[in-house]
Amino acid sequence: GLDWLEVTVWGDPVRARTMLEARLEAALYAVECGRRSQEDAFAPRHPWERGHHVGMADFKVSRCGSFCGIDFKGSLCRLLGSEHLHAFLHDCNAWCDRWHVRRVDLTVPNAPSLVPSRLRDALDAGNYRSQTITAPGDWDWISNAVGDTILMGVRSSLDGGRVKKRRIGDRSLMVYDARGVNRVEGRWTGQAARGMGEALFSADPAEWDGLIRSAHRGLIDFVDRSSSSRARRAPLLDWWEAYVGGAVRLAARPQRSTADDGASVLGLLDDFIRRYSRRLEVGRRAFGDDWLAARVRRYGTDRLTDDDLRLIEQLRAFRGSGLCGVPGVPEWEAVDDLPI
């Protein structure tokens, strides 16, 4: 399941916090009720004050107030479960102007076939295929009294006599033996997290376990290179095939469409306007729209760069596309009437 979830949402922070409060209140109340037996079903319940549990999730508002970050740590993710986390993603889609996942940790709590030493031997022998892990230094091995750990997608280096580990991409995978239980943990950040967020949003919660194994395959596949000189054609190793269980490889990259590209380009401009909207609104209310537009032309025309001119051409392509309405305003109140 999910062991960590960080989401950035654009929109009114008060509205976003209200959405978070409502989701946590409903989810944790259902969890509490599920723990009660039928005998005490009518016993007095815990007083669920509004916002009482919002502190369990980190809620951070940006300085400009145009977006905020919502973080679910491991214990809260495990408490809520896939059903409520899936509902939270749909809440973000319904309540906020736009959103994306910044980080998501994908875990399989018990994978008997994945023994860390077995993975290390396969990596040393070159029995794998991956676009992220391409050199012997792209993984690390740790062994201590607790158990063995193999880190993939991580490089180690010495800095002032201290060993530092850094991720080489936006995906990494860790398999460790914690007192006899083999646990798999993957961390997705950046563009990989965005793509994984879209996949989790679209999939049914019952399909998340298979989706997680597909994402792990998207990072690395362990294959038998002795059967074929080309890694792409080599069959999966038995113990890896037993783990993935027929799951297909998932690259977990954002699905871009024409509408998405337009939204991202418009988002650059919209975020900038929103950042300075309060002061601009002061001048508009004091002197009117024409005065504000004249000032923008006076001070902005001579300062345009080549990047600004390219952005103008990209924005012009979306005139009349239906994407230029004001975010969060119903279509019948914000008609996109810009001509093509």
Side-chain angles (χ1 to χ4, degrees), residues 152-336:
M152 292 165 282
V154 175
R155 288 178 184 167
S156 299
S157 61
L158 286 175
D159 185 5
R162 300 179 60 185
V163 178
K164 288 192 174 182
K165 303 182 186 300
R166 64 181 181 88
R167 289 175 173 80
I168 59 177
D170 51 13
R171 294 176 295 172
S172 63
L173 194 64
M174 177 175 65
V175 181
Y176 62 91
D177 175 10
R179 296 182 176 86
V181 179
N182 300 328
R183 180 179 173 89
V184 186
E185 294 185 2
R187 177 179 296 185
W188 268 239
T189 59
Q191 291 295 315
R194 294 191 183 195
M196 197 64 215
E198 294 176 3
L200 293 170
F201 172 81
S202 303
D204 188 88
E207 302 171 351
W208 277 16
D209 184 65
L211 191 67
I212 290 172
R213 296 170 191 261
S214 295
H216 292 170
R217 280 201 67 188
L219 174 62
I220 188 171
D221 254 341
F222 291 94
V223 297
D224 184 5
R225 295 294 299 272
S226 63
S227 302
S228 176
S229 58
R230 301 184 62 179
R232 184 175 298 179
R233 297 181 179 179
L236 300 180
L237 291 173
D238 294 339
W239 49 267
W240 181 250
E241 188 173 11
Y243 169 71
V244 297
V248 298
R249 296 180 69 250
L250 178 66
R253 295 293 176 182
Q255 300 296 322
R256 292 290 184 181
S257 64
T258 303
D260 293 331
D261 291 337
S264 64
V265 174
L266 290 171
L268 292 175
L269 183 61
D270 192 58
D271 286 345
F272 181 82
I273 294 174
R274 189 182 312 195
R275 186 178 305 172
Y276 297 99
S277 60
R278 182 168 58 89
R279 294 298 177 87
L280 293 175
E281 180 65 10
V282 171
R284 190 194 70 83
R285 292 195 179 190
F287 302 109
D289 296 345
D290 294 339
W291 178 90
L292 181 60
R295 288 299 189 277
V296 172
R297 287 193 296 268
R298 170 66 179 83
Y299 300 124
T301 301
D302 297 335
R303 303 177 64 184
L304 293 176
T305 64
D306 293 340
D307 290 339
D308 295 330
L309 296 177
R310 283 192 291 269
L311 181 60
I312 290 173
E313 293 302 319
Q314 291 176 343
L315 290 169
R316 283 177 176 171
F318 291 93
R319 293 173 69 99
S321 64
L323 297 173
C324 300
V326 179
V329 177
E331 295 181 0
W332 59 85
E333 295 182 13
V335 179
D336 177 15

Side-chain angles (χ1 to χ4, degrees), residues 86-118:
H86 183 260
F88 168 74
L89 295 179
H90 279 262
D91 288 343
C92 292
N93 193 65
W95 284 59
C96 306
D97 297 340
R98 52 195 175 94
W99 62 276
H100 69 249
V101 175
R102 297 193 319 273
R103 171 187 165 183
V104 58
D105 289 6
L106 311 171
T107 66
V108 176
N110 189 10
S113 64
L114 296 192
V115 181
S117 59
R118 184 180 288 171

Side-chain angles (χ1 to χ4, degrees), residues 13-71:
V14 176
R15 184 177 175 85
R17 186 180 179 89
T18 302
M19 176 268 293
L20 176 62
E21 289 176 354
R23 174 52 51 192
L24 286 178
E25 296 282 336
L28 296 176
Y29 184 78
V31 170
E32 179 68 17
C33 291
R35 289 175 176 174
R36 293 172 176 267
S37 61
Q38 295 183 355
E39 288 76 10
D40 61 350
F42 298 98
R45 303 192 184 280
H46 180 80
W48 294 86
E49 301 175 3
R50 186 165 185 78
H52 180 75
H53 290 280
V54 73
M56 298 181 67
D58 288 344
F59 185 85
K60 298 167 288 189
V61 182
S62 64
R63 289 186 176 182
C64 61
S66 61
F67 64 91
C68 54
I70 302 175
D71 302 349

